[in-house]
Structures are given as structure tokens and as C-alpha cells.
Amino acid sequence: MTLRPDLAIIADHVAPGSRVLDVGCGDGALMAALRDAKGVDARGLELDSANVAAAVSRGLSVIQGDADIDLADYPDASFDYAILSQTLQTARRPDVVLDHLLRVGRQAFVSFPNFAHWRVRMSLLWGGRMPVTRLLPEQWFDTPNIHHVTIEDFRAFVKRAGLRCRARGSCPAINRPGRCRPICWRNMRCSNWAALSERIERDQGTITPDTGLDSPRSLSE
């Protein structure tokens, strides 16, 4: 099974035998891969009924629910990892969803499309219209994306919220060993971003949001 590149980045960092909650799990592709390759105990929460049916047909434990509402019902620290892939920008209150994600899971994976990507910027600059790309295929009037977040927006939120990114992956991967790229280049060049976050304990001192490991995987533009 070939995973979507951001899901492959996430799968690389999940420990074998762990408990995982996949929020907005789609058809369960990541859950099935983690179950089969790493013996993970995976549970899913998905809004779309067709995706729920597809995931259940794979033998996965998935229920229909809304991340904005139903995450509040999960007990604290009930999973090793909580995953939110390509869903953050569709949440009504992404800050609240992220707070629940890190309450439910000891660590949280988040991936999202970068709305500061150069293709998005060019569409606005030259066409004067909201962008439609392979990764953002919907028109402005039917898109589920209601919060347009960039990599630097997320980094600032992580720091302000008292979180730490333990690992991160840029898609495509541009921060390779031996190369030094300015932050503005990453914010323009990466079409997607994936990060593993956790809360900072009070006795750990200063927040250092980018002390993780860049993934070598990449996402074609």
C-alpha cells in the first residue's frame, strides 16, 4: 500500500505497538498501514459516512464523528499518538481541536496544506483569484478549508501555546543535511507540512519548537 506522502512521514515516526487515534482518518489508509506494518492499535474518527464505511470494510475500528465536537468525549492520555492529517484547516476552532488532540494523545501529529506555497501566491498575484491546485482542488465556494494556515502561522501557534515540535517534515523536503535555507524559502517552497508536537512540561524551560528531525520523504508539487 502506497501512502499519501504526508501520511508516510507520520507513519515513519509512530512507534510499533502503540495506541493511535486518527482524527479525520478518511478511508483508513494510514490506520491499515500502521496496523499491518507496526502492530498498532488504531482507532479512527471520521465525519464522512462513505469513508467510515470504507474504513470499516478494512476491518478497522472507526466511528462517525466531528472533531470539533466529539474529541471532548475522549478521556485524557488514552492514546500514545493522536493524528490530525489534512484536517486542521477544516476545523471550526482549530486551536480547541489541537488542545483536545494533545489532551487525548501524549503526542500529536498534524499535517496541513501550506497556504503560503508559491503556487498559491502566484494564483493570487497574477490571476487575482483564490487558488485551485492539485492539493487544493475545490473552488472558493465549495472548499472545506475555512482556516488558511501557513507553516509560519503554525510555528508561531506552537510557540505561543507552549508546545514543542519533536519532528517535522517538509513536503517537498528542502532542509537536507549540508543545506541552509531561510525560513521564508521554506514557507514558499513547501506545499505541505507535517509535525509531531507535544506539551512542554513546566520544568523543561524554554520552548524550542524546531529541535526535531526533517523527514527525507517528499511530496511532488
Side-chain angles (χ1 to χ4, degrees), residues 8 19 24 26 57 72 83-84 92 120 131 139 169 171 174 205 210 214 216:
R19 286 177 52 80
S57 71
I83 297 171
L84 191 74
R92 291 186 292 277
V120 175
Q139 298 285 341
C171 312
I174 62 171
D210 271 336
D214 279 319

PDB file of all heavy atoms in Angstrom, residues 8 19 24 26 57 72 83-84 92 120 131 139 169 171 174 205 210 214 216:
ATOM      1  N   ALA A   8       2.915   9.080   4.993  1.00  0.00           N
ATOM      2  CA  ALA A   8       4.142   8.286   5.082  1.00  0.00           C
ATOM      3  C   ALA A   8       5.120   8.901   6.083  1.00  0.00           C
ATOM      4  O   ALA A   8       5.793   8.184   6.834  1.00  0.00           O
ATOM      5  CB  ALA A   8       4.799   8.168   3.703  1.00  0.00           C
ATOM      6  N   ARG A  19      -0.731   2.886  20.730  1.00  0.00           N
ATOM      7  CA  ARG A  19      -2.153   3.154  20.570  1.00  0.00           C
ATOM      8  C   ARG A  19      -2.307   4.488  19.852  1.00  0.00           C
ATOM      9  O   ARG A  19      -1.727   5.494  20.267  1.00  0.00           O
ATOM     10  CB  ARG A  19      -2.862   3.199  21.927  1.00  0.00           C
ATOM     11  CG  ARG A  19      -3.051   1.815  22.542  1.00  0.00           C
ATOM     12  CD  ARG A  19      -3.691   1.911  23.927  1.00  0.00           C
ATOM     13  NE  ARG A  19      -4.912   2.717  23.925  1.00  0.00           N
ATOM     14  CZ  ARG A  19      -6.110   2.277  23.534  1.00  0.00           C
ATOM     15  NH1 ARG A  19      -6.246   1.031  23.089  1.00  0.00           N
ATOM     16  NH2 ARG A  19      -7.171   3.064  23.580  1.00  0.00           N
ATOM     17  N   GLY A  24     -10.157  12.364  11.577  1.00  0.00           N
ATOM     18  CA  GLY A  24     -10.275  12.676  10.159  1.00  0.00           C
ATOM     19  C   GLY A  24      -9.516  11.647   9.346  1.00  0.00           C
ATOM     20  O   GLY A  24      -8.721  11.983   8.472  1.00  0.00           O
ATOM     21  N   GLY A  26     -10.276   9.534   7.082  1.00  0.00           N
ATOM     22  CA  GLY A  26     -10.601   9.204   5.704  1.00  0.00           C
ATOM     23  C   GLY A  26     -11.033   7.756   5.571  1.00  0.00           C
ATOM     24  O   GLY A  26     -11.817   7.248   6.374  1.00  0.00           O
ATOM     25  N   SER A  57     -14.801  -1.559   6.324  1.00  0.00           N
ATOM     26  CA  SER A  57     -14.649  -2.709   5.430  1.00  0.00           C
ATOM     27  C   SER A  57     -13.224  -3.249   5.422  1.00  0.00           C
ATOM     28  O   SER A  57     -12.992  -4.390   5.026  1.00  0.00           O
ATOM     29  CB  SER A  57     -15.060  -2.323   4.003  1.00  0.00           C
ATOM     30  OG  SER A  57     -14.112  -1.452   3.410  1.00  0.00           O
ATOM     31  N   ALA A  72     -13.978  16.024  22.586  1.00  0.00           N
ATOM     32  CA  ALA A  72     -14.157  16.364  24.003  1.00  0.00           C
ATOM     33  C   ALA A  72     -14.589  15.157  24.827  1.00  0.00           C
ATOM     34  O   ALA A  72     -14.422  15.153  26.057  1.00  0.00           O
ATOM     35  CB  ALA A  72     -15.178  17.490  24.145  1.00  0.00           C
ATOM     36  N   ILE A  83      -3.617  11.791  15.763  1.00  0.00           N
ATOM     37  CA  ILE A  83      -3.215  12.244  14.430  1.00  0.00           C
ATOM     38  C   ILE A  83      -4.323  13.079  13.802  1.00  0.00           C
ATOM     39  O   ILE A  83      -5.497  12.708  13.843  1.00  0.00           O
ATOM     40  CB  ILE A  83      -2.888  11.037  13.523  1.00  0.00           C
ATOM     41  CG1 ILE A  83      -1.700  10.258  14.089  1.00  0.00           C
ATOM     42  CG2 ILE A  83      -2.609  11.492  12.089  1.00  0.00           C
ATOM     43  CD1 ILE A  83      -1.450   8.934  13.390  1.00  0.00           C
ATOM     44  N   LEU A  84      -3.933  14.206  13.224  1.00  0.00           N
ATOM     45  CA  LEU A  84      -4.857  15.086  12.510  1.00  0.00           C
ATOM     46  C   LEU A  84      -4.209  15.425  11.171  1.00  0.00           C
ATOM     47  O   LEU A  84      -3.368  16.322  11.094  1.00  0.00           O
ATOM     48  CB  LEU A  84      -5.115  16.352  13.329  1.00  0.00           C
ATOM     49  CG  LEU A  84      -6.243  17.270  12.866  1.00  0.00           C
ATOM     50  CD1 LEU A  84      -7.602  16.660  13.191  1.00  0.00           C
ATOM     51  CD2 LEU A  84      -6.128  18.636  13.529  1.00  0.00           C
ATOM     52  N   ARG A  92     -13.647  24.157  12.748  1.00  0.00           N
ATOM     53  CA  ARG A  92     -14.207  25.469  13.086  1.00  0.00           C
ATOM     54  C   ARG A  92     -13.329  26.190  14.104  1.00  0.00           C
ATOM     55  O   ARG A  92     -13.163  27.393  14.039  1.00  0.00           O
ATOM     56  CB  ARG A  92     -15.645  25.308  13.620  1.00  0.00           C
ATOM     57  CG  ARG A  92     -16.636  24.865  12.544  1.00  0.00           C
ATOM     58  CD  ARG A  92     -18.050  24.855  13.061  1.00  0.00           C
ATOM     59  NE  ARG A  92     -18.268  23.815  14.053  1.00  0.00           N
ATOM     60  CZ  ARG A  92     -18.538  22.545  13.773  1.00  0.00           C
ATOM     61  NH1 ARG A  92     -18.600  22.158  12.501  1.00  0.00           N
ATOM     62  NH2 ARG A  92     -18.740  21.666  14.731  1.00  0.00           N
ATOM     63  N   VAL A 120       0.180  29.062  -4.641  1.00  0.00           N
ATOM     64  CA  VAL A 120      -0.952  29.803  -4.083  1.00  0.00           C
ATOM     65  C   VAL A 120      -0.714  31.306  -4.236  1.00  0.00           C
ATOM     66  O   VAL A 120      -1.600  32.067  -4.651  1.00  0.00           O
ATOM     67  CB  VAL A 120      -1.146  29.430  -2.603  1.00  0.00           C
ATOM     68  CG1 VAL A 120      -2.241  30.281  -1.972  1.00  0.00           C
ATOM     69  CG2 VAL A 120      -1.479  27.945  -2.452  1.00  0.00           C
ATOM     70  N   PRO A 131      -6.736  30.218  -5.199  1.00  0.00           N
ATOM     71  CA  PRO A 131      -6.043  29.175  -5.958  1.00  0.00           C
ATOM     72  C   PRO A 131      -6.813  27.866  -6.030  1.00  0.00           C
ATOM     73  O   PRO A 131      -7.505  27.473  -5.092  1.00  0.00           O
ATOM     74  CB  PRO A 131      -4.743  28.985  -5.165  1.00  0.00           C
ATOM     75  CG  PRO A 131      -5.091  29.419  -3.778  1.00  0.00           C
ATOM     76  CD  PRO A 131      -6.062  30.545  -3.939  1.00  0.00           C
ATOM     77  N   GLN A 139     -13.186  24.838  -5.505  1.00  0.00           N
ATOM     78  CA  GLN A 139     -13.381  26.260  -5.725  1.00  0.00           C
ATOM     79  C   GLN A 139     -13.651  26.954  -4.393  1.00  0.00           C
ATOM     80  O   GLN A 139     -13.968  26.312  -3.393  1.00  0.00           O
ATOM     81  CB  GLN A 139     -14.572  26.483  -6.673  1.00  0.00           C
ATOM     82  CG  GLN A 139     -14.394  25.899  -8.063  1.00  0.00           C
ATOM     83  CD  GLN A 139     -13.447  26.714  -8.916  1.00  0.00           C
ATOM     84  OE1 GLN A 139     -13.177  27.883  -8.639  1.00  0.00           O
ATOM     85  NE2 GLN A 139     -12.943  26.111  -9.991  1.00  0.00           N
ATOM     86  N   GLY A 169       8.336  17.458   9.037  1.00  0.00           N
ATOM     87  CA  GLY A 169       8.626  17.055   7.670  1.00  0.00           C
ATOM     88  C   GLY A 169       8.092  18.076   6.697  1.00  0.00           C
ATOM     89  O   GLY A 169       6.932  18.469   6.775  1.00  0.00           O
ATOM     90  N   CYS A 171       7.246  19.087   2.762  1.00  0.00           N
ATOM     91  CA  CYS A 171       6.856  18.389   1.548  1.00  0.00           C
ATOM     92  C   CYS A 171       6.749  19.399   0.405  1.00  0.00           C
ATOM     93  O   CYS A 171       5.813  20.182   0.386  1.00  0.00           O
ATOM     94  CB  CYS A 171       5.497  17.734   1.736  1.00  0.00           C
ATOM     95  SG  CYS A 171       5.306  16.780   3.245  1.00  0.00           S
ATOM     96  N   ILE A 174      13.096  20.126   1.844  1.00  0.00           N
ATOM     97  CA  ILE A 174      14.106  21.048   1.321  1.00  0.00           C
ATOM     98  C   ILE A 174      15.227  21.288   2.312  1.00  0.00           C
ATOM     99  O   ILE A 174      16.262  21.828   1.951  1.00  0.00           O
ATOM    100  CB  ILE A 174      13.482  22.402   0.926  1.00  0.00           C
ATOM    101  CG1 ILE A 174      12.865  23.072   2.156  1.00  0.00           C
ATOM    102  CG2 ILE A 174      12.478  22.237  -0.178  1.00  0.00           C
ATOM    103  CD1 ILE A 174      12.418  24.487   1.896  1.00  0.00           C
ATOM    104  N   GLY A 205      11.691  24.320  30.853  1.00  0.00           N
ATOM    105  CA  GLY A 205      12.269  25.607  30.480  1.00  0.00           C
ATOM    106  C   GLY A 205      11.790  26.122  29.141  1.00  0.00           C
ATOM    107  O   GLY A 205      10.648  25.951  28.766  1.00  0.00           O
ATOM    108  N   ASP A 210      11.665  23.901  17.003  1.00  0.00           N
ATOM    109  CA  ASP A 210      12.180  23.209  15.826  1.00  0.00           C
ATOM    110  C   ASP A 210      13.420  22.388  16.132  1.00  0.00           C
ATOM    111  O   ASP A 210      14.436  22.472  15.468  1.00  0.00           O
ATOM    112  CB  ASP A 210      12.489  24.219  14.713  1.00  0.00           C
ATOM    113  CG  ASP A 210      11.273  24.460  13.848  1.00  0.00           C
ATOM    114  OD1 ASP A 210      10.408  23.582  13.801  1.00  0.00           O
ATOM    115  OD2 ASP A 210      11.205  25.529  13.226  1.00  0.00           O
ATOM    116  N   ASP A 214      14.034  16.503  10.236  1.00  0.00           N
ATOM    117  CA  ASP A 214      13.343  16.596   8.959  1.00  0.00           C
ATOM    118  C   ASP A 214      13.244  15.227   8.317  1.00  0.00           C
ATOM    119  O   ASP A 214      14.180  14.440   8.334  1.00  0.00           O
ATOM    120  CB  ASP A 214      14.103  17.515   7.996  1.00  0.00           C
ATOM    121  CG  ASP A 214      13.806  18.972   8.267  1.00  0.00           C
ATOM    122  OD1 ASP A 214      12.640  19.282   8.518  1.00  0.00           O
ATOM    123  OD2 ASP A 214      14.750  19.763   8.244  1.00  0.00           O
ATOM    124  N   PRO A 216      13.108  12.667   5.163  1.00  0.00           N
ATOM    125  CA  PRO A 216      13.653  12.687   3.814  1.00  0.00           C
ATOM    126  C   PRO A 216      12.596  12.501   2.754  1.00  0.00           C
ATOM    127  O   PRO A 216      12.849  12.658   1.579  1.00  0.00           O
ATOM    128  CB  PRO A 216      14.630  11.504   3.821  1.00  0.00           C
ATOM    129  CG  PRO A 216      14.043  10.555   4.807  1.00  0.00           C
ATOM    130  CD  PRO A 216      13.430  11.427   5.885  1.00  0.00           C
TER     131      PRO A 216
END
